[in-house]
Amino acid sequence: MTATGTSATGVTGVTGMVLNIQHFCTHDGPGMRTTVFLKGCSLRCKWCSNPESIHPKPELAYNLSKCIGKEQCGACLSACPESAIFNVDGDAKVRINWDLCTNCGKCVPGCPPQALYLFGQEMTVEQVLDDVERDGSVYRESGGGMTLSGGECQLQADFAAALLAGAHERGINTAIETAFNVPWSHVEKVLPHVDTVLHDIKLTDPAAHKAWTGVDNTRIRENIKRAYEAFPNARFIARTPIIPGVNDDEEHIRATLAFIRPHKNVVDYELLPYMRFGESKYGFLGKVYEMQDFEPPPPELMARLRAIIDEAFGRTPGRAAR
Amino acid sequence: MNAHAKRIGLNIGGGYVPGINSAITGVVLASAELGWEVVGIRDGFDGVLFPERYPEGGLAPLGAPVVEMATAGGAPLLGNATRSDPFRVRRLNADNTVQEVDRSGDLLAGLAAAKIDAVVSVVGPQALSILFRLHRQGLAVVCVPTSVENDVAVTQLSFGFNSALSFAVEMLERVRQAAQATRRIGVVEVPGEHAGWLALQAGIAACADAVLIPEIPYDLERVAARLRRKQEAGGHFGLVVVAEGALPAGGERPDAEALATHSMKAALSPGATGPMGGHVIEGTGRAAHAVARHLQRLTDRTTSPLVLGPLVKGGAPTAVDRQLGLGYGAAAVRALAEGCSGVMATFQPPDLRFVPLGEAINKVRTVPSDSLFLQIARSLGICLGESEVMS
């Protein structure tokens, strides 16, 4: 992220790396929302459904089914300075040698069917907010707003803070989705501008957390606890992606409840069943999807685990807080 | 390349294959003849990139006395890395964030600090690209090709293949005996994601009834018809060899979900890439089970799938692989002595030659449609599952 100036209403000219702006989202906070996905993540969860969000910079993707072939086009073959795009005898379409690709993007402009494209673009705060504000009436009617997601949106702390502050100035409700695996200094910049914080608690055991996400959860838990206490006016909603065989046990749910319940600004605890949404994107990025043998958790299991949460929150089973 | 290299780093960039110790021995003995020193880099490039992981040091001295004590089929003289990519090293930062970083500069600096003038790298087709990239950054390197699938381009024979072939043939003969005794159809899967050399040559050597390879989309009705004819003639058993990347004509196996992989070979393979761009080889064992299950339906006879998989990569090397490993190792040193760098040693009978790495990457050596081995198989009546038999 780069900053080029400030104004009375916040930072202007600030840019950040944006993956996507998705309108009319219903699962990323209260009401109907626009979710802004920021690039870069500090975890490597094996079940990640947004692998295109991990790399902090623009990253090449290739959808082979869209390639019209060397005979009709072949522009990328000469455009690549790294010998990373090639063609094999007897095959019409081009191939990518991901070990040689440097994500320079020189192949992208000359690809008519957009089989080659870059995930991520640099945008200013104003560009993002102008796009978000298009749905202002929807937010007002539904109680929605803007949600920053990722990747880990707090990694781009200055950009995220400017976006959130700018949204508030435009009267837009704010939320973030975060795993809190960032230095506390980032949290201090971002959270003053957030109305609702949706944060993950993926695993309880530090060693298991490291095995499945790449880092242990010591600092994450410290950050979460500290955030609960430092930002009493924000609404916190804890979340766990339920991965069969990894964290689908009652013990993890009860341990998480014990962690969050003493804090009154934690208004809910949501369970998100593992889905294989991101699988095809791994192929487009030349990455390995390590969870091919994992199936979504059965509905009965989800219901049983959610009943534990409902009981802890003292509400009728099946009724969420929002 | 520094034509006066005196200290060579040697590393193993792929998994173990029979003949590794012979290749190491070839490098060490040929270097000793020139008065050069050889040090092994542990576990790919990890010995240089992560020396703190090795209390005994990331570099292992490899003198003539060391290799003379070793046997060709014994424990490997040097550890390997299944994947060693200094351009994308996952790092846990001090602030607890995970990041992939380019450590190629650190690697080159580490090699220079260890006074390593050049590297001989024993690698399969995937790691060739990484060595090519390192060479473009200034690394003096000579590669030695290894592959039990014999799919490294430009060379006629990678070491490891002959040993895998011998083992596969022995297993096929055992399966045939078992199938004969139990009146079943044995379906044996051998490695070969994109190249069917191992399946084809082993199938010929064992006189299999059918061989299915990635280069020829198969029609199991053809295989079933072949087995029916055999049964009518009194043959109550069958032997089918299938390469793990073999696919039915018309696309993906019915049970195959699109699957991504970082393998360069996945990007290379027309046959293994589904219509949506996903990689359709799901892993060892799927091909044998799919073929066995469908053949059972088509023939109404019991089938027994067996997966050789990584078993072919173990064991002692054959005489061919011992000679080839020694020859490749010695040739790599000769390349450096002649001032060559950024090349791969290749066997182009009757010569061992050097080709630029740029000519070896982005290719897989597959079975061509006019292959002599295909002609032999057809002449022997081995069914290749072709929808329309080509001759």
Side-chain angles (χ1 to χ4, degrees), chain A residues 1 19 27 45 85 88 95 152 164 192 236 250 255 322:
Chain A
M1 195 211 77
L19 171 66
H27 292 93
C45 306
I85 303 179
V88 286
R95 306 282 163 168
E152 171 53 69
L164 295 161
F236 288 83
E250 293 184 15
R322 63 187 175 87

Side-chain angles (χ1 to χ4, degrees), chain B residues 361-383:
Chain B
I361 60 166
N362 293 344
K363 297 181 184 118
V364 167
R365 181 176 175 272
T366 53
V367 180
S369 58
D370 60 351
S371 164
L372 177 65
F373 288 106
L374 290 178
Q375 292 174 33
I376 292 170
R378 291 185 185 115
S379 301
L380 294 173
I382 295 173
C383 177

Side-chain angles (χ1 to χ4, degrees), chain B residues 69-293:
Chain B
M69 289 294 289
T71 55
L77 283 161
L78 190 61
N80 64 280
T82 51
R83 180 168 177 78
S84 186
D85 182 357
F87 295 96
R88 292 185 187 90
V89 178
R90 184 168 291 183
R91 184 174 73 189
L92 182 59
N93 296 319
D95 65 358
N96 205 45
T97 56
V98 183
Q99 190 182 8
E100 281 76 26
V101 293
D102 179 356
R103 293 200 60 198
S104 57
D106 294 340
L107 174 64
L108 296 181
L111 291 169
K115 300 191 186 314
I116 290 173
D117 302 294
V119 170
V120 173
S121 212
V122 180
V123 291
Q126 183 176 354
L128 276 176
S129 297
I130 291 165
L131 272 301
F132 172 68
R133 208 169 157 188
L134 284 169
H135 173 65
R136 289 204 299 200
Q137 290 205 358
L139 178 69
V141 63
V142 176
C143 293
V144 170
T146 169
S147 169
V148 295
E149 300 171 21
N150 204 22
D151 56 356
V152 180
V154 194
T155 187
Q156 284 291 311
L157 193 55
S158 298
F159 82 82
F161 173 71
N162 188 266
S163 304
L165 178 60
S166 296
F167 175 79
V169 171
E170 185 188 341
M171 290 300 107
L172 289 179
E173 291 193 335
R174 290 177 185 230
V175 169
R176 187 168 59 179
Q177 286 170 359
Q180 200 165 6
T182 55
R183 298 195 164 203
R184 291 184 178 188
I185 299 168
V187 178
V188 182
E189 179 182 317
V190 302
E193 274 190 57
H194 306 277
W197 296 108
L198 189 57
L200 182 58
Q201 292 186 232
I204 289 171
C207 287
D209 295 295
V211 173
L212 308 176
I213 61 175
E215 293 85 344
I216 301 176
Y218 62 76
D219 177 356
L220 281 188
E221 284 285 2
R222 295 270 172 182
V223 179
R226 166 80 171 80
L227 292 167
R228 278 190 218 105
R229 283 199 303 276
K230 180 177 178 179
Q231 189 175 25
E232 287 162 10
H236 295 287
F237 68 98
L239 177 62
V240 177
V241 187
V242 52
E244 63 181 330
L247 288 171
E252 302 171 14
R253 285 195 291 271
D255 59 339
E257 295 287 331
L259 172 65
T261 172
H262 191 57
S263 164
M264 185 194 82
K265 291 200 292 185
L268 282 165
S269 168
T273 306
M276 294 308 292
H279 188 47
V280 295
I281 296 170
E282 288 200 81
T284 300
R286 305 290 176 112
H289 286 89
V291 168
R293 192 165 56 249

Side-chain angles (χ1 to χ4, degrees), chain A residues 121-172:
Chain A
Q121 60 173 321
E122 192 168 16
M123 295 181 76
T124 66
V125 171
E126 285 70 27
Q127 284 173 322
V128 174
L129 290 178
D130 288 349
D131 192 332
V132 169
E133 202 174 24
R134 284 191 300 153
D135 296 329
S137 59
V138 176
Y139 309 146
R140 281 188 291 277
E141 288 174 16
S142 69
M146 178 186 78
T147 300
L148 297 190
S149 184
E152 171 53 69
C153 65
Q154 293 201 73
L155 276 181
Q156 299 187 55
D158 292 328
F159 183 56
L163 282 173
L164 295 161
H168 270 172
E169 286 171 8
R170 299 186 189 208
I172 299 170

